[in-house]
Amino acid sequence: MNNALIIGGSGGIGAALVAELESRGVAVTSLSRSGDGLDVTDEARVAEVLGGLEGPFDMIFVASGALQIGDFGPEKALKQLDPEAMMAQFAVNAIGPAMVLKHGLRLLPREGRAVFAALSARVGSIGDNRLGGWYSYRAAKAAVNQLIHSAAIEVARTHKEAICVALHPGTVATPFTAQFVKPEKATPPADTARQLIDVVEGLTPDDTGLFFDYAAKPIPW
């Protein structure tokens, strides 16, 4: 890997990914809403910002996402469902990565190995769901999994060695998770970044369209 683009590079996982890649000698372009005004829920802005890049990038990694948006946290019961909260979850966690792929595909080389990775979450797995709850977040992550799987089929027609994957980072010690899990039970961002990049480097075109965790183990849809 020589040249990578990180979306959400100012966040806990995103910043750690930037540092990990740079430590491996990879040239990194980092974009974020706070630093570059890249709001992944605004297609016009995504098109403008990505349209200003030259590329090619042999990896585009979407590390943006949200568990709690505004005053809306993960729901524990059906009675807590709110249409506004649900739409916000889909906008950030599903539509956002899809827009990055739509406008970023031209930045991936058509020849040679290239990776498009997006952060998902194990709770987005329908087959692995045994606890229920967290309706909007689960549904949004299930949606991004489907978007990645579908896109992988299309992208393979023009980018023969491209790999599109959804990745579960585990529970990471960031502000994103602070109010839901004790820090001692979460993985430091630097360790997560190392694990995720190891997974990416081990992928082959046969893995495109799949869903993996931080240990490179497949997760059921």
Side-chain angles (χ1 to χ4, degrees):
M1 191 186 310
N2 298 307
N3 199 15
L5 172 62
I6 305 297
I7 305 298
S10 65
I13 297 177
L17 287 169
V18 171
E20 178 64 26
L21 287 164
E22 291 179 339
S23 76
R24 300 187 188 205
V26 178
V28 181
T29 298
S30 173
L31 297 174
S32 67
R33 183 172 61 178
S34 60
D36 307 280
L38 178 58
D39 180 355
V40 296
T41 69
D42 181 344
E43 182 180 6
R45 186 61 181 152
V46 173
E48 179 183 0
V49 174
L50 297 189
L53 300 179
E54 292 294 333
F57 297 97
D58 44 22
M59 183 181 74
I60 299 176
F61 198 123
V62 182
S64 56
L67 177 55
Q68 176 159 332
I69 301 174
D71 295 329
F72 299 107
E75 311 94 345
K76 296 181 179 179
L78 283 167
K79 64 183 179 182
Q80 296 175 333
L81 289 178
D82 181 280
E84 181 182 346
M86 297 183 78
M87 287 188 288
Q89 281 291 335
F90 272 79
V92 172
N93 291 312
I95 298 172
M99 292 301 99
V100 172
L101 181 51
K102 175 182 177 180
H103 295 283
L105 181 59
R106 70 171 188 84
L107 297 171
L108 293 175
R110 284 180 174 262
E111 302 294 333
R113 184 180 184 274
V115 177
F116 182 91
L119 286 185
S120 184
R122 187 179 295 276
V123 296
S125 166
I126 296 173
D128 192 56
N129 184 357
R130 296 174 179 82
L131 297 175
W134 288 34
Y135 289 93
S136 299
Y137 185 71
R138 283 185 186 275
K141 289 301 187 181
V144 79
N145 290 346
Q146 180 69 287
L147 288 162
I148 291 295
H149 185 75
S150 293
I153 296 169
E154 178 181 347
V155 171
R157 296 172 186 148
T158 53
H159 299 65
K160 302 301 182 184
E161 296 181 61
I163 305 161
C164 297
V165 290
L167 297 176
H168 166 59
T171 302
V172 187
T174 67
F176 185 91
T177 60
Q179 60 183 306
F180 302 103
V181 64
K182 295 180 180 179
E184 61 269 21
K185 293 185 177 181
T187 304
D191 292 345
T192 296
R194 174 177 46 79
Q195 292 167 337
L196 290 173
I197 298 305
D198 284 346
V199 172
V200 167
E201 291 189 337
L203 296 172
T204 73
D206 289 338
D207 298 315
T208 193
L210 299 181
F211 182 19
F212 296 97
D213 72 6
Y214 54 88
K217 296 179 179 178
I219 299 176
W221 296 118

